[in-house]
Amino acid sequence: MSSDLLAQPSHGALARPDLSALVDGATYRAGNPFALWRWMRDNEPVVRHEPDVFPGFWSLTRYDEIKEVLRDADTFSSSSGILLRPLAQGDDPGSNRTLALSDAPRHTALRGAIAGWFAPRNLRMLTESLDKTAYETVRAAVAAGRTEFVTEIAARLPLDVVCTFLGIPDEDRPRITEWSTDAFCAGTAEERSLAHLEILDYFGALAEERRARPGDDLVSVLAGVRHEGELLPLEDVVLNCDNLLVGGTENVRLAMSGGMLALLEHPSQWALLRDDFDTRVNTAIEEMLRWTSSATHIMRRATDDVRLGGRHIRRGDLVVCWLTSANRDPAHFTDPDVFDVRRSPNRHLALGAGSHYCVGTQLAKLEIRAVLREFMTQVGEVTLDGTPEHLDSIVVNGLRSLPLRLTPADRRV
Ligand code: HEM
């Protein structure tokens, strides 16, 4: 399929579309959810979906209501889960355990314990090794004349950084890389879930070891966190490590590869960025984040009765915020369906908002910048070397594969 999913909204139907398509992975793999979201924003911006495969929930598609929900963590709780799960899968095992699935005061304690690792001062120390890895991976791709951009470049950098933060020994990294690639990109759901179990097992052993012999890494930090006087159970440490690995690699991989495809499909935007990289790189990264909006939705549970967009939400109701739709809302973005690397302002919600705002924001931007810079300096011509494939997930959207053919910069025509 083409990159329609990410890039090419078609004109919305006038008749009420089948809204259940929103929670069908096939819509994201083969369809065009932008038309559906446009119709919903225009006609039913706060709409109830009755229980089916998924529990009953409200869909929010406009920027304003979504931002209101994300910024009000007292009324809209994260602790029972932030992603829609089929009823058959039961409760999210991370509920009330991981940073993302906690409310204050537990959320404040966990976030306070790890936030320093993502602060600019700590990230500055990483820059050199990040730039080196970006240089080497792009150089290898250019030398080979082709690359599978998603797995060989976009996944590589974020995984390296998360492994460093978690203090994963060098000799274990190839295993983690293999499991992560399978957990995200393997062909069948069974293969993906087996690889994920391997990762959880690995973190189980690592958490136990670091609790006994703490080091200077995030696993040791988490293993030493106390909440209400008690150390976190090891299972909570494992789930938090897993969240960092998944959150820290999957979204960056998708934003980087979706952004690369957007640049390829908009050669004038590529030229604008290449011609004045230092001036335009920041706005270009924001636009890549808005355009790709890799976290498709984020969910909350109402802790009280509340009115939202003229509808009555009851205490206990699930509310699903379609971030990708908010980021194409014409009420907030001029020509939202145009990819513009100079867009400013660009207050997208791709990284969330409010107290759960993505803790890895600056890191993600550093990683994307490092790869872009290497592409702009080392690479001449870039063309597709096959058809990009999309994921069929309702949770994250973007590319499973992006085969590229490359020539060195000095052979640029
Ligand atoms: C382009 C890349 C990224 C995107 C699009 C992204 C997206 C998001 C979004 C939408 C949220 C808000 C979740 C909510 O409100 O419930 C979030 C939170 C989070 N992200 Fe990211 N993320 C990215 C990169 C990263 C990186 C690099 C890391 C870490 C290495 C990371 C770790 C986290 C964590 C731990 C949270 C939970 C924060 C909290 O609940 O306080 N993310 N991310």
Side-chain angles (χ1 to χ4, degrees):
M1 99 146 208
S2 77
S3 61
D4 278 2
L5 175 64
L6 291 173
Q8 301 280 328
S10 64
H11 294 289
L14 290 176
R16 190 178 197 269
D18 175 7
L19 301 191
S20 68
L22 260 191
V23 287
D24 182 350
T27 305
Y28 301 85
R29 188 183 63 240
N32 180 350
F34 290 100
L36 187 54
W37 279 321
R38 180 185 299 147
W39 188 93
M40 291 172 78
R41 283 194 305 265
D42 289 347
N43 298 284
E44 298 187 28
V46 179
V47 60
R48 174 90 186 151
H49 300 249
E50 293 310 321
D52 188 350
V53 175
F54 294 95
F57 65 95
W58 293 92
S59 258
L60 270 50
T61 43
R62 278 190 195 158
Y63 187 101
D64 284 341
E65 285 91 11
I66 289 179
K67 193 158 186 183
E68 186 181 335
V69 166
L70 295 180
R71 294 184 76 160
D72 183 357
D74 290 337
T75 313
F76 297 100
S77 159
S78 293
S79 64
S80 61
I82 61 167
L83 302 174
L84 260 178
R85 286 166 70 83
L87 279 164
Q89 286 182 11
D91 294 339
D92 192 317
S95 295
N96 252 318
R97 297 184 135 170
T98 64
L99 170 66
L101 274 64
S102 299
D103 297 327
R106 183 187 163 86
H107 175 255
T108 322
L110 282 175
R111 185 139 177 153
I114 70 158
W117 281 75
F118 298 92
R121 202 160 64 95
N122 195 48
L123 297 181
R124 268 197 294 278
M125 296 194 296
L126 261 188
T127 314
E128 201 178 313
S129 73
L130 231 154
D131 288 350
K132 184 164 171 276
T133 312
Y135 171 78
E136 285 167 359
T137 41
V138 175
R139 191 181 58 167
V142 172
R146 47 171 38 103
T147 185
E148 178 14 65
F149 184 82
V150 176
T151 49
E152 291 172 4
I153 298 183
R156 169 81 198 280
L157 221 61
L159 191 64
D160 254 30
V161 175
V162 174
C163 285
T164 303
F165 276 23
L166 295 175
I168 292 177
D170 285 351
E171 62 272 21
D172 293 347
R173 293 190 186 192
R175 276 198 286 166
I176 297 281
T177 306
E178 196 180 315
W179 291 330
S180 301
T181 308
D182 286 352
F184 299 141
C185 297
T188 67
E190 199 188 352
E191 285 168 314
R192 293 196 289 273
S193 108
L194 274 176
H196 197 205
L197 286 176
E198 299 273 19
I199 294 173
L200 290 174
D201 271 0
Y202 178 86
F203 281 138
L206 194 66
E208 222 171 304
E209 182 201 313
R210 299 289 157 83
R211 178 156 284 170
R213 283 178 296 284
D216 183 18
D217 55 71
L218 263 179
V219 182
S220 303
V221 169
L222 288 164
V225 169
R226 286 183 185 275
H227 178 55
E228 294 172 349
E230 299 288 326
L231 284 170
L232 293 186
L234 279 179
E235 199 179 328
D236 293 19
V237 176
V238 170
L239 290 167
N240 274 290
C241 292
D242 182 53
N243 260 212
L244 283 168
L245 181 77
V246 173
T249 56
E250 191 168 23
N251 276 303
V252 181
R253 177 172 54 86
L254 294 170
M256 216 186 267
S257 45
M260 180 56 67
L261 181 60
L263 286 170
L264 272 177
E265 290 178 332
H266 300 85
S268 61
Q269 299 298 308
W270 182 293
L272 278 171
L273 180 58
R274 174 174 262 164
D275 291 348
D276 198 350
F277 184 79
D278 289 335
T279 310
R280 295 194 179 125
V281 65
N282 289 337
T283 51
I285 291 172
E286 296 303 340
E287 184 66 342
M288 285 163 77
L289 290 168
R290 181 189 78 90
W291 192 253
T292 53
S293 281
S294 55
T296 316
H297 78 262
I298 291 292
M299 190 174 74
R300 298 289 190 253
R301 190 182 287 282
T303 58
D304 214 338
D305 288 6
V306 60
R307 282 196 81 74
L308 206 54
R311 304 296 304 268
H312 185 72
I313 312 286
R314 288 184 194 285
R315 181 179 179 190
D317 282 358
L318 295 173
V319 174
V320 172
C321 302
W322 297 97
L323 300 183
T324 316
S325 171
N327 286 338
R328 297 290 181 105
D329 187 340
H332 277 268
F333 300 97
T334 313
D335 296 330
D337 299 321
V338 170
F339 178 70
D340 177 2
V341 295
R342 292 173 297 184
R343 183 181 291 278
S344 177
N346 191 351
R347 297 191 188 92
H348 61 77
L349 299 177
L351 298 150
S355 58
H356 288 274
Y357 182 65
C358 177
V359 76
T361 295
Q362 297 309 325
L363 173 57
K365 291 180 187 175
L366 270 185
E367 293 169 341
I368 297 171
R369 178 181 294 117
V371 167
L372 280 179
R373 185 188 298 111
E374 293 309 323
F375 256 74
M376 297 297 153
T377 50
Q378 293 193 51
V379 180
E381 295 296 308
V382 189
T383 45
L384 285 177
D385 190 26
T387 310
E389 271 180 59
H390 286 83
L391 295 169
D392 60 359
S393 158
I394 67 161
V395 173
V396 283
N397 68 84
L399 298 170
R400 186 196 295 284
S401 83
L402 178 63
L404 297 181
R405 204 188 294 269
L406 315 167
T407 63
D410 56 3
R411 292 205 355 236
R412 181 147 50 116
V413 286

PDB file of all heavy atoms in Angstrom, residues 376-402:
ATOM      1  N   MET A 376      21.542  14.302   5.570  1.00  0.00           N
ATOM      2  CA  MET A 376      21.719  15.525   4.781  1.00  0.00           C
ATOM      3  C   MET A 376      23.177  15.716   4.363  1.00  0.00           C
ATOM      4  O   MET A 376      23.454  16.364   3.370  1.00  0.00           O
ATOM      5  CB  MET A 376      21.244  16.749   5.574  1.00  0.00           C
ATOM      6  CG  MET A 376      19.770  16.718   5.894  1.00  0.00           C
ATOM      7  SD  MET A 376      18.744  16.750   4.409  1.00  0.00           S
ATOM      8  CE  MET A 376      17.258  15.931   4.960  1.00  0.00           C
ATOM      9  N   THR A 377      24.109  15.154   5.137  1.00  0.00           N
ATOM     10  CA  THR A 377      25.518  15.365   4.778  1.00  0.00           C
ATOM     11  C   THR A 377      26.115  14.181   4.001  1.00  0.00           C
ATOM     12  O   THR A 377      26.860  14.391   3.061  1.00  0.00           O
ATOM     13  CB  THR A 377      26.390  15.642   6.024  1.00  0.00           C
ATOM     14  OG1 THR A 377      26.123  14.657   6.992  1.00  0.00           O
ATOM     15  CG2 THR A 377      26.114  17.003   6.612  1.00  0.00           C
ATOM     16  N   GLN A 378      25.753  12.952   4.395  1.00  0.00           N
ATOM     17  CA  GLN A 378      26.414  11.805   3.756  1.00  0.00           C
ATOM     18  C   GLN A 378      25.711  11.277   2.509  1.00  0.00           C
ATOM     19  O   GLN A 378      26.301  10.574   1.709  1.00  0.00           O
ATOM     20  CB  GLN A 378      26.499  10.630   4.744  1.00  0.00           C
ATOM     21  CG  GLN A 378      27.408  10.843   5.927  1.00  0.00           C
ATOM     22  CD  GLN A 378      27.654   9.503   6.626  1.00  0.00           C
ATOM     23  OE1 GLN A 378      28.024   8.517   6.003  1.00  0.00           O
ATOM     24  NE2 GLN A 378      27.455   9.465   7.922  1.00  0.00           N
ATOM     25  N   VAL A 379      24.401  11.560   2.416  1.00  0.00           N
ATOM     26  CA  VAL A 379      23.619  10.887   1.375  1.00  0.00           C
ATOM     27  C   VAL A 379      23.314  11.852   0.226  1.00  0.00           C
ATOM     28  O   VAL A 379      22.985  13.013   0.454  1.00  0.00           O
ATOM     29  CB  VAL A 379      22.297  10.353   1.986  1.00  0.00           C
ATOM     30  CG1 VAL A 379      21.473   9.643   0.924  1.00  0.00           C
ATOM     31  CG2 VAL A 379      22.593   9.402   3.146  1.00  0.00           C
ATOM     32  N   GLY A 380      23.430  11.341  -0.994  1.00  0.00           N
ATOM     33  CA  GLY A 380      23.080  12.138  -2.165  1.00  0.00           C
ATOM     34  C   GLY A 380      21.643  11.880  -2.558  1.00  0.00           C
ATOM     35  O   GLY A 380      20.727  12.540  -2.084  1.00  0.00           O
ATOM     36  N   GLU A 381      21.441  10.867  -3.393  1.00  0.00           N
ATOM     37  CA  GLU A 381      20.081  10.525  -3.823  1.00  0.00           C
ATOM     38  C   GLU A 381      19.490   9.454  -2.911  1.00  0.00           C
ATOM     39  O   GLU A 381      20.190   8.500  -2.544  1.00  0.00           O
ATOM     40  CB  GLU A 381      20.119   9.960  -5.248  1.00  0.00           C
ATOM     41  CG  GLU A 381      20.571  10.960  -6.287  1.00  0.00           C
ATOM     42  CD  GLU A 381      19.613  12.123  -6.404  1.00  0.00           C
ATOM     43  OE1 GLU A 381      18.398  11.876  -6.576  1.00  0.00           O
ATOM     44  OE2 GLU A 381      20.075  13.286  -6.304  1.00  0.00           O
ATOM     45  N   VAL A 382      18.243   9.601  -2.571  1.00  0.00           N
ATOM     46  CA  VAL A 382      17.523   8.561  -1.806  1.00  0.00           C
ATOM     47  C   VAL A 382      16.260   8.214  -2.583  1.00  0.00           C
ATOM     48  O   VAL A 382      15.488   9.117  -2.925  1.00  0.00           O
ATOM     49  CB  VAL A 382      17.065   9.068  -0.420  1.00  0.00           C
ATOM     50  CG1 VAL A 382      16.532   7.913   0.414  1.00  0.00           C
ATOM     51  CG2 VAL A 382      18.165   9.792   0.289  1.00  0.00           C
ATOM     52  N   THR A 383      16.076   6.945  -2.859  1.00  0.00           N
ATOM     53  CA  THR A 383      14.829   6.536  -3.527  1.00  0.00           C
ATOM     54  C   THR A 383      14.291   5.283  -2.853  1.00  0.00           C
ATOM     55  O   THR A 383      15.033   4.551  -2.191  1.00  0.00           O
ATOM     56  CB  THR A 383      15.077   6.200  -5.025  1.00  0.00           C
ATOM     57  OG1 THR A 383      16.259   5.401  -5.104  1.00  0.00           O
ATOM     58  CG2 THR A 383      15.251   7.444  -5.864  1.00  0.00           C
ATOM     59  N   LEU A 384      13.014   5.051  -3.041  1.00  0.00           N
ATOM     60  CA  LEU A 384      12.415   3.833  -2.478  1.00  0.00           C
ATOM     61  C   LEU A 384      12.957   2.618  -3.218  1.00  0.00           C
ATOM     62  O   LEU A 384      13.126   2.652  -4.436  1.00  0.00           O
ATOM     63  CB  LEU A 384      10.895   3.876  -2.629  1.00  0.00           C
ATOM     64  CG  LEU A 384      10.145   4.809  -1.684  1.00  0.00           C
ATOM     65  CD1 LEU A 384       8.657   4.798  -2.013  1.00  0.00           C
ATOM     66  CD2 LEU A 384      10.371   4.395  -0.231  1.00  0.00           C
ATOM     67  N   ASP A 385      13.208   1.550  -2.456  1.00  0.00           N
ATOM     68  CA  ASP A 385      13.732   0.324  -3.044  1.00  0.00           C
ATOM     69  C   ASP A 385      12.703  -0.791  -2.852  1.00  0.00           C
ATOM     70  O   ASP A 385      13.045  -1.914  -2.493  1.00  0.00           O
ATOM     71  CB  ASP A 385      15.061  -0.025  -2.346  1.00  0.00           C
ATOM     72  CG  ASP A 385      15.805  -1.143  -3.061  1.00  0.00           C
ATOM     73  OD1 ASP A 385      15.597  -1.310  -4.273  1.00  0.00           O
ATOM     74  OD2 ASP A 385      16.603  -1.843  -2.397  1.00  0.00           O
ATOM     75  N   GLY A 386      11.453  -0.458  -3.009  1.00  0.00           N
ATOM     76  CA  GLY A 386      10.362  -1.400  -2.761  1.00  0.00           C
ATOM     77  C   GLY A 386       9.218  -0.611  -2.137  1.00  0.00           C
ATOM     78  O   GLY A 386       9.330   0.597  -1.950  1.00  0.00           O
ATOM     79  N   THR A 387       8.160  -1.323  -1.798  1.00  0.00           N
ATOM     80  CA  THR A 387       6.989  -0.644  -1.251  1.00  0.00           C
ATOM     81  C   THR A 387       7.063  -0.623   0.267  1.00  0.00           C
ATOM     82  O   THR A 387       7.224  -1.677   0.886  1.00  0.00           O
ATOM     83  CB  THR A 387       5.705  -1.402  -1.676  1.00  0.00           C
ATOM     84  OG1 THR A 387       5.783  -1.604  -3.086  1.00  0.00           O
ATOM     85  CG2 THR A 387       4.461  -0.613  -1.337  1.00  0.00           C
ATOM     86  N   PRO A 388       6.946   0.552   0.879  1.00  0.00           N
ATOM     87  CA  PRO A 388       6.933   0.595   2.349  1.00  0.00           C
ATOM     88  C   PRO A 388       5.708  -0.146   2.880  1.00  0.00           C
ATOM     89  O   PRO A 388       4.646  -0.086   2.272  1.00  0.00           O
ATOM     90  CB  PRO A 388       6.830   2.089   2.670  1.00  0.00           C
ATOM     91  CG  PRO A 388       7.131   2.803   1.408  1.00  0.00           C
ATOM     92  CD  PRO A 388       6.811   1.887   0.280  1.00  0.00           C
ATOM     93  N   GLU A 389       5.899  -0.843   3.996  1.00  0.00           N
ATOM     94  CA  GLU A 389       4.757  -1.567   4.591  1.00  0.00           C
ATOM     95  C   GLU A 389       4.348  -0.899   5.885  1.00  0.00           C
ATOM     96  O   GLU A 389       5.217  -0.505   6.671  1.00  0.00           O
ATOM     97  CB  GLU A 389       5.200  -2.982   4.969  1.00  0.00           C
ATOM     98  CG  GLU A 389       5.045  -4.005   3.903  1.00  0.00           C
ATOM     99  CD  GLU A 389       5.524  -5.343   4.440  1.00  0.00           C
ATOM    100  OE1 GLU A 389       4.965  -5.816   5.444  1.00  0.00           O
ATOM    101  OE2 GLU A 389       6.496  -5.867   3.873  1.00  0.00           O
ATOM    102  N   HIS A 390       3.045  -0.832   6.119  1.00  0.00           N
ATOM    103  CA  HIS A 390       2.542  -0.212   7.353  1.00  0.00           C
ATOM    104  C   HIS A 390       2.161  -1.251   8.398  1.00  0.00           C
ATOM    105  O   HIS A 390       1.790  -2.372   8.061  1.00  0.00           O
ATOM    106  CB  HIS A 390       1.322   0.652   7.042  1.00  0.00           C
ATOM    107  CG  HIS A 390       1.683   1.925   6.358  1.00  0.00           C
ATOM    108  ND1 HIS A 390       1.889   2.004   5.008  1.00  0.00           N
ATOM    109  CD2 HIS A 390       1.913   3.158   6.844  1.00  0.00           C
ATOM    110  CE1 HIS A 390       2.222   3.240   4.683  1.00  0.00           C
ATOM    111  NE2 HIS A 390       2.245   3.966   5.780  1.00  0.00           N
ATOM    112  N   LEU A 391       2.242  -0.834   9.658  1.00  0.00           N
ATOM    113  CA  LEU A 391       1.761  -1.689  10.751  1.00  0.00           C
ATOM    114  C   LEU A 391       0.239  -1.741  10.708  1.00  0.00           C
ATOM    115  O   LEU A 391      -0.397  -0.832  10.153  1.00  0.00           O
ATOM    116  CB  LEU A 391       2.193  -1.094  12.099  1.00  0.00           C
ATOM    117  CG  LEU A 391       3.689  -1.045  12.391  1.00  0.00           C
ATOM    118  CD1 LEU A 391       3.953  -0.192  13.626  1.00  0.00           C
ATOM    119  CD2 LEU A 391       4.227  -2.452  12.603  1.00  0.00           C
ATOM    120  N   ASP A 392      -0.332  -2.773  11.343  1.00  0.00           N
ATOM    121  CA  ASP A 392      -1.792  -2.816  11.364  1.00  0.00           C
ATOM    122  C   ASP A 392      -2.309  -2.664  12.800  1.00  0.00           C
ATOM    123  O   ASP A 392      -3.247  -3.312  13.202  1.00  0.00           O
ATOM    124  CB  ASP A 392      -2.316  -4.101  10.723  1.00  0.00           C
ATOM    125  CG  ASP A 392      -1.814  -5.336  11.436  1.00  0.00           C
ATOM    126  OD1 ASP A 392      -1.045  -5.179  12.412  1.00  0.00           O
ATOM    127  OD2 ASP A 392      -2.195  -6.442  11.041  1.00  0.00           O
ATOM    128  N   SER A 393      -1.651  -1.797  13.551  1.00  0.00           N
ATOM    129  CA  SER A 393      -2.003  -1.638  14.958  1.00  0.00           C
ATOM    130  C   SER A 393      -2.935  -0.441  15.161  1.00  0.00           C
ATOM    131  O   SER A 393      -2.856   0.534  14.427  1.00  0.00           O
ATOM    132  CB  SER A 393      -0.690  -1.420  15.723  1.00  0.00           C
ATOM    133  OG  SER A 393      -0.920  -0.782  16.936  1.00  0.00           O
ATOM    134  N   ILE A 394      -3.791  -0.522  16.193  1.00  0.00           N
ATOM    135  CA  ILE A 394      -4.624   0.649  16.521  1.00  0.00           C
ATOM    136  C   ILE A 394      -3.930   1.496  17.586  1.00  0.00           C
ATOM    137  O   ILE A 394      -4.426   2.532  17.994  1.00  0.00           O
ATOM    138  CB  ILE A 394      -6.034   0.251  17.018  1.00  0.00           C
ATOM    139  CG1 ILE A 394      -5.969  -0.463  18.367  1.00  0.00           C
ATOM    140  CG2 ILE A 394      -6.763  -0.581  15.983  1.00  0.00           C
ATOM    141  CD1 ILE A 394      -7.299  -0.461  19.100  1.00  0.00           C
ATOM    142  N   VAL A 395      -2.785   1.034  18.072  1.00  0.00           N
ATOM    143  CA  VAL A 395      -2.082   1.708  19.166  1.00  0.00           C
ATOM    144  C   VAL A 395      -0.993   2.637  18.638  1.00  0.00           C
ATOM    145  O   VAL A 395      -0.881   3.788  19.054  1.00  0.00           O
ATOM    146  CB  VAL A 395      -1.460   0.648  20.110  1.00  0.00           C
ATOM    147  CG1 VAL A 395      -0.582   1.300  21.161  1.00  0.00           C
ATOM    148  CG2 VAL A 395      -2.550  -0.175  20.758  1.00  0.00           C
ATOM    149  N   VAL A 396      -0.174   2.112  17.741  1.00  0.00           N
ATOM    150  CA  VAL A 396       0.859   2.941  17.113  1.00  0.00           C
ATOM    151  C   VAL A 396       0.697   2.830  15.606  1.00  0.00           C
ATOM    152  O   VAL A 396       0.349   1.769  15.095  1.00  0.00           O
ATOM    153  CB  VAL A 396       2.290   2.489  17.490  1.00  0.00           C
ATOM    154  CG1 VAL A 396       2.664   2.934  18.878  1.00  0.00           C
ATOM    155  CG2 VAL A 396       2.481   1.005  17.310  1.00  0.00           C
ATOM    156  N   ASN A 397       0.910   3.936  14.921  1.00  0.00           N
ATOM    157  CA  ASN A 397       0.806   3.837  13.471  1.00  0.00           C
ATOM    158  C   ASN A 397       2.126   4.230  12.839  1.00  0.00           C
ATOM    159  O   ASN A 397       2.885   5.027  13.387  1.00  0.00           O
ATOM    160  CB  ASN A 397      -0.354   4.680  12.954  1.00  0.00           C
ATOM    161  CG  ASN A 397      -0.109   6.149  13.125  1.00  0.00           C
ATOM    162  OD1 ASN A 397       0.542   6.779  12.299  1.00  0.00           O
ATOM    163  ND2 ASN A 397      -0.604   6.705  14.222  1.00  0.00           N
ATOM    164  N   GLY A 398       2.392   3.638  11.703  1.00  0.00           N
ATOM    165  CA  GLY A 398       3.637   3.949  11.016  1.00  0.00           C
ATOM    166  C   GLY A 398       4.128   2.757  10.231  1.00  0.00           C
ATOM    167  O   GLY A 398       3.372   1.840   9.923  1.00  0.00           O
ATOM    168  N   LEU A 399       5.419   2.777   9.943  1.00  0.00           N
ATOM    169  CA  LEU A 399       5.970   1.816   8.991  1.00  0.00           C
ATOM    170  C   LEU A 399       6.591   0.598   9.659  1.00  0.00           C
ATOM    171  O   LEU A 399       7.318   0.724  10.644  1.00  0.00           O
ATOM    172  CB  LEU A 399       7.037   2.513   8.144  1.00  0.00           C
ATOM    173  CG  LEU A 399       6.534   3.678   7.294  1.00  0.00           C
ATOM    174  CD1 LEU A 399       7.696   4.448   6.704  1.00  0.00           C
ATOM    175  CD2 LEU A 399       5.617   3.161   6.194  1.00  0.00           C
ATOM    176  N   ARG A 400       6.294  -0.550   9.075  1.00  0.00           N
ATOM    177  CA  ARG A 400       6.991  -1.776   9.477  1.00  0.00           C
ATOM    178  C   ARG A 400       8.291  -1.889   8.679  1.00  0.00           C
ATOM    179  O   ARG A 400       9.288  -2.382   9.163  1.00  0.00           O
ATOM    180  CB  ARG A 400       6.091  -2.981   9.152  1.00  0.00           C
ATOM    181  CG  ARG A 400       6.601  -4.312   9.628  1.00  0.00           C
ATOM    182  CD  ARG A 400       5.875  -5.460   8.933  1.00  0.00           C
ATOM    183  NE  ARG A 400       4.466  -5.544   9.253  1.00  0.00           N
ATOM    184  CZ  ARG A 400       3.982  -6.016  10.395  1.00  0.00           C
ATOM    185  NH1 ARG A 400       4.798  -6.454  11.325  1.00  0.00           N
ATOM    186  NH2 ARG A 400       2.690  -6.066  10.602  1.00  0.00           N
ATOM    187  N   SER A 401       8.284  -1.399   7.446  1.00  0.00           N
ATOM    188  CA  SER A 401       9.517  -1.462   6.647  1.00  0.00           C
ATOM    189  C   SER A 401       9.585  -0.281   5.682  1.00  0.00           C
ATOM    190  O   SER A 401       8.554   0.203   5.206  1.00  0.00           O
ATOM    191  CB  SER A 401       9.597  -2.791   5.891  1.00  0.00           C
ATOM    192  OG  SER A 401       8.847  -2.705   4.698  1.00  0.00           O
ATOM    193  N   LEU A 402      10.798   0.172   5.440  1.00  0.00           N
ATOM    194  CA  LEU A 402      11.027   1.274   4.499  1.00  0.00           C
ATOM    195  C   LEU A 402      12.350   1.003   3.774  1.00  0.00           C
ATOM    196  O   LEU A 402      13.418   1.451   4.195  1.00  0.00           O
ATOM    197  CB  LEU A 402      11.092   2.620   5.256  1.00  0.00           C
ATOM    198  CG  LEU A 402      11.372   3.866   4.404  1.00  0.00           C
ATOM    199  CD1 LEU A 402      10.270   4.109   3.384  1.00  0.00           C
ATOM    200  CD2 LEU A 402      11.504   5.108   5.309  1.00  0.00           C
TER     201      LEU A 402
END
